[in-house]
Amino acid sequence: MLLIVLELIGLAVFAASGAVAAVRARLDVFGVTILALTTALGGGIIRDVLLGVHPPTSLRNWPYLLVAGGTGLIVFWFHPHVAKLRRSVLLLDAVGLGLFVTSGTSTALSLGATPYAACLIGMTTGIGGGALRDLLLREIPLVLRREIYAVAALCGAVVVAVGEWAGLPKGLVSLAGAVLIITIRLIALWRKWNAPVARGLEG
C-alpha cells in the first residue's frame, strides 16, 4: 500500500510539472490536462510498449488516470499557488523519479529483458514523460540539455539490474537504487550541477 501511495504521489508531481509547463505556454484547459497526463503516464506507457504489455498498465488502472488528470485541472485553476511550492515539487519529483526508474527496471527484468535493456527501459520510464512533454511544447527535452536527471536515472537502474543479477533481495535492491537516484538528483539541484557540453561553439 505504501508503494502504491508513493507511486501515485510521483504521478501527481510529474503531472503537475507537465501542467505548469502547459500553463506557461498558455495552453487551454484541455491542453493543460493532456500535458499533465502525458508527463505523468508517458514513461510508463513507453515501457509497456517496449515490453509488449498491452494495453499499458496505466491505461488499465483508473486511479492513475484520475490522479494525473485531476492534478492537471488543479494546477490549471490554482497555478499561482503551485508555483510557490517549487522546492517541495522538486523534492517530490526526485522521489517520483527514483520510484519510477527502479520499478521500471524491475518490471523489465521480470519480463525477461536483458540487464542492459532493463537499465535503458528503466531510465526511459523515469524520463520519458518529461521528454514527451517538451517535444509537445516544441522544445529540446530538458534531460538532453541541462541538469543531472537522466544520468541519475541510469545510475539507479544499473544498481537494480546488478543487484538482481547478483541475487540480492529485490526490495533492498530497489530501495538502494531509488535512494541513489534521489541523492544524486538533490545534490545536483543543490550544487547546480549540469552535464558538460561541447566547448568552442560559436554563437
Side-chain angles (χ1 to χ4, degrees), residues 100-196:
F100 285 10
V101 170
T102 54
S103 67
T105 306
S106 294
T107 299
L109 290 170
S110 68
L111 293 176
T114 59
Y116 68 86
C119 290
L120 295 177
I121 290 173
M123 179 184 70
T124 302
T125 304
I127 70 174
L132 290 174
R133 172 201 64 208
D134 294 341
L135 290 174
L136 288 174
L137 293 175
R138 295 187 298 177
E139 298 177 359
I140 298 174
L142 183 66
V143 297
L144 301 182
R145 54 191 172 90
R146 66 184 178 91
E147 296 191 359
I148 305 298
Y149 201 89
V151 173
L154 185 58
C155 288
V158 169
V159 167
V160 174
V162 171
E164 293 200 19
W165 173 79
L168 298 176
K170 289 186 177 182
L172 179 62
V173 167
S174 295
L175 177 62
V179 169
L180 178 63
I181 292 170
I182 294 168
T183 301
I184 293 175
R185 181 75 183 121
L186 293 181
I187 292 176
L189 288 170
W190 172 47
R191 302 293 297 177
K192 294 181 172 57
W193 286 347
N194 291 296

